[in-house]
Amino acid sequence: MSKKSTRGRKMRSDNVRVVPEFREEIDIEKLCRALIEIAKNMSRDKENNTPKTKE
């Protein structure tokens, strides 16, 4: 019987590789929606990370 130090899931995550799928026709609407969501998430993260100053 092996010694088990933790229970449940492992405590680290593996690296994930993203492979692009090339297509003949690009769906511009999907691409635009994805870029808008990325911009929203980046601005939300920036708002949450900036220190608030008292006036």
Side-chain angles (χ1 to χ4, degrees):
M1 192 166 149
S2 64
K3 183 179 177 185
K4 198 171 185 183
S5 60
T6 60
R7 293 178 49 186
R9 293 187 191 168
K10 58 185 179 179
M11 295 301 291
R12 64 177 185 84
S13 61
D14 295 327
N15 290 337
V16 176
R17 178 176 288 167
V18 177
V19 179
E21 182 178 324
F22 296 101
R23 301 178 181 194
E24 293 292 325
E25 295 288 322
I26 299 173
D27 190 355
I28 298 296
E29 288 184 21
K30 272 187 181 178
L31 181 61
C32 290
R33 279 186 263 146
L35 292 174
I36 289 169
E37 285 300 316
I38 290 170
K40 284 181 183 178
N41 289 338
M42 288 174 70
S43 67
R44 192 176 308 126
D45 290 344
K46 191 174 182 179
E47 282 181 7
N48 292 338
N49 290 335
T50 55
K52 294 182 181 179
T53 57
K54 292 184 179 180
E55 296 178 1

